[in-house]
Amino acid sequence: EFRMAMLAMEIGLTESWTTNVSYEFDKLMDFYKGEALYNAKAPTLSIRKMWQMMKKTLITAEPRLRYASTQTLKQHPVAGAFFDDDGDNMQLSSTLTLIHSFGPEDRGLLMPSMGFMRTQYLRDDATGRIDYLLTAALNTSYQWKPWLGTQVFANFGHKFANSKGERLTGAGSKYDVWDFGLA
């Protein structure tokens, strides 16, 4: 069982610049025993710039910095799922998104995006491990009525790691993943 609480605040700096600060607390629980296995505290800072390209088209760029201070309280039942007290990490990421409205009264949104994340581990045996994640996504939504909307999405992720990450996580150090959804 995964639990998360987050406090976030967005501040408009100008018409096209905003910043977001947040503080997140995560807890992983053993679903059957109710015991806490792991927790993390993670402050985050991001800045978003928006450009109006055409009447119905925007582009946003959002770099983000996140630091996670972690603690393993009890070893996870699945071996290798978490390294004991080795999860402290610094994440640097950036996302570029195109937002285009369409249809009558601009009820539809088309939002392709791409992103990059670099996670550097900072403590104990994981010190020096670096994971990379490249993402591409396409999200389309349409608001048929005030009370009825639809959404279709496809996401692709490509993860890889440096040599230390490959040694520590083995086959989990690299993968490709597709997610599809309809709501």
Side-chain angles (χ1 to χ4, degrees):
E1 178 181 335
F2 181 77
R3 298 177 183 175
M4 180 182 78
M6 179 186 286
L7 178 63
M9 179 174 61
E10 185 168 284
I11 302 164
L13 304 173
T14 68
E15 190 174 294
S16 62
W17 287 91
T18 58
T19 187
N20 186 299
V21 291
S22 65
Y23 186 81
E24 175 183 329
F25 181 75
D26 303 324
K27 183 173 278 203
L28 181 66
M29 305 288 292
D30 182 316
F31 183 77
Y32 299 104
K33 296 179 183 175
E35 297 175 316
L37 302 174
Y38 168 90
N39 65 40
K41 299 169 189 150
T44 302
L45 172 66
S46 67
I47 298 173
R48 183 175 41 238
K49 169 71 171 148
M50 192 176 322
W51 294 271
Q52 178 97 32
M53 303 307 289
M54 293 179 273
K55 183 179 176 185
K56 296 183 176 191
T57 306
L58 301 171
I59 292 181
T60 65
E62 186 168 7
R64 185 177 118 175
L65 174 65
R66 179 179 187 263
Y67 177 81
S69 173
T70 66
Q71 181 181 23
T72 300
L73 305 170
K74 185 177 177 187
Q75 210 49 302
H76 192 277
V78 177
F82 292 94
F83 296 106
D84 192 23
D85 289 339
D86 284 341
D88 281 17
N89 62 76
M90 178 81 69
Q91 290 180 350
L92 297 170
S93 63
S94 187
T95 304
L96 187 64
T97 305
L98 180 122
I99 304 167
H100 178 72
S101 61
F102 63 90
E105 301 173 12
D106 295 328
R107 291 183 186 183
L109 285 178
L110 175 66
M111 294 186 298
S113 65
M114 57 187 201
F116 172 77
M117 180 186 304
R118 178 187 187 271
T119 305
Q120 180 172 353
Y121 291 82
L122 306 169
R123 196 171 76 212
D124 301 332
D125 290 342
T127 300
R129 171 184 164 196
I130 301 175
D131 293 345
Y132 301 92
L133 180 62
L134 303 173
T135 59
L138 180 60
N139 184 321
T140 302
S141 62
Y142 196 84
Q143 194 69 39
W144 300 95
K145 302 276 185 190
W147 50 270
L148 177 64
T150 56
Q151 179 182 19
V152 176
F153 68 87
N155 300 322
F156 174 74
H158 173 70
K159 181 193 180 255
F160 56 101
N162 68 353
S163 59
K164 179 137 191 189
E166 289 175 355
R167 280 194 312 276
L168 288 174
T169 59
S173 69
K174 56 185 167 186
Y175 60 80
D176 291 334
V177 62
W178 280 97
D179 291 315
F180 299 96
L182 172 65

